[in-house]
């Protein structure tokens, strides 16, 4: 089965403008920032759970700005409290996974890497709801 050039362009354009793809792109930037903060603190001797609190705390406003505007097309800070709550839930889930994995003997840096996929999936669902994303894919401007 061969796709025409026009059909291929349409598929690629749809993919690149997809909210999920934008979320993943923003997530790469946010994750690099957050994991960088986490790694620097752990390597400096800070306890992994304290480093995780700092990582999430520093990332909330930065991540909100990227997610709200770039991914979901939301302006202003009216949804920041709900977004913050979504991050608290994601943090709690991440902290639990980190504790379980480090308790099983996985080094902190590796444990956090292993935690990322399920935390990202949960974060997408929570952030989409917090920012008022509709099932149809149309974003809410607030």
């Amino acid at each position: 089965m061969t796709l025409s050039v026009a059909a291929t362009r349409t598929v690629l354009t749809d993919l690149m403008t997809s909210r999920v793809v934008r979320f993943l792109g923003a997530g790469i930037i946010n994750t690099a920032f957050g994991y960088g903060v986490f790694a620097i603190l752990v390597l400096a001797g800070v306890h992994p759970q304290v480093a995780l609190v700092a990582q999430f705390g520093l990332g909330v406003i930065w991540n909100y700005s990227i997610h709200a505007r770039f991914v979901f097309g939301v302006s202003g800070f009216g949804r920041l409290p709900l977004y913050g709550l979504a991050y608290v839930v994601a943090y709690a889930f991440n902290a639990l996974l980190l504790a379980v994995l480090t308790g099983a003997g996985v080094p902190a840096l590796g444990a956090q890497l292993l935690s990322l996929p399920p935390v990202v999936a949960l974060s997408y669902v929570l952030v989409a709801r917090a920012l008022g994303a509709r099932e149809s894919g149309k974003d809410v401007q607030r």
Side-chain angles (χ1 to χ4, degrees):
M1 176 176 184
T2 312
L3 287 175
S4 71
V5 172
T8 302
R9 282 188 188 141
T10 300
V11 168
L12 290 175
T13 300
D14 289 348
L15 181 62
M16 295 311 294
T17 58
S18 157
R19 186 180 337 169
V20 172
V21 171
R22 290 190 319 259
F23 183 83
L24 292 174
I28 290 169
I29 294 166
N30 293 345
T31 300
F33 172 78
Y35 191 76
V37 168
F38 179 81
I40 288 167
L41 292 174
V42 167
L43 294 172
V46 175
H47 188 277
Q49 291 292 347
V50 174
L52 188 63
V53 169
Q55 169 192 339
F56 271 79
L58 291 172
V60 170
I61 291 178
W62 168 259
N63 295 350
Y64 174 83
S65 297
I66 291 175
H67 284 138
R69 287 190 179 270
F70 177 67
V71 179
F72 295 97
V74 174
S75 60
F77 289 92
R79 293 189 164 268
L80 182 59
L82 285 175
Y83 183 86
L85 181 60
Y87 255 73
V88 167
V89 172
Y91 164 79
F93 180 63
N94 195 159
L96 176 65
L97 285 177
L98 183 62
V100 167
L101 292 170
T102 56
V106 179
L109 297 179
Q112 183 61 7
L113 279 176
L114 291 172
S115 297
L116 287 176
V119 170
V120 167
L122 176 63
S123 294
Y124 179 80
V125 171
L126 296 174
V127 165
R129 288 198 173 269
L131 293 177
R134 298 181 185 158
E135 293 299 319
S136 68
K138 297 197 187 251
D139 302 317
V140 174
Q141 296 290 326
R142 295 195 185 186

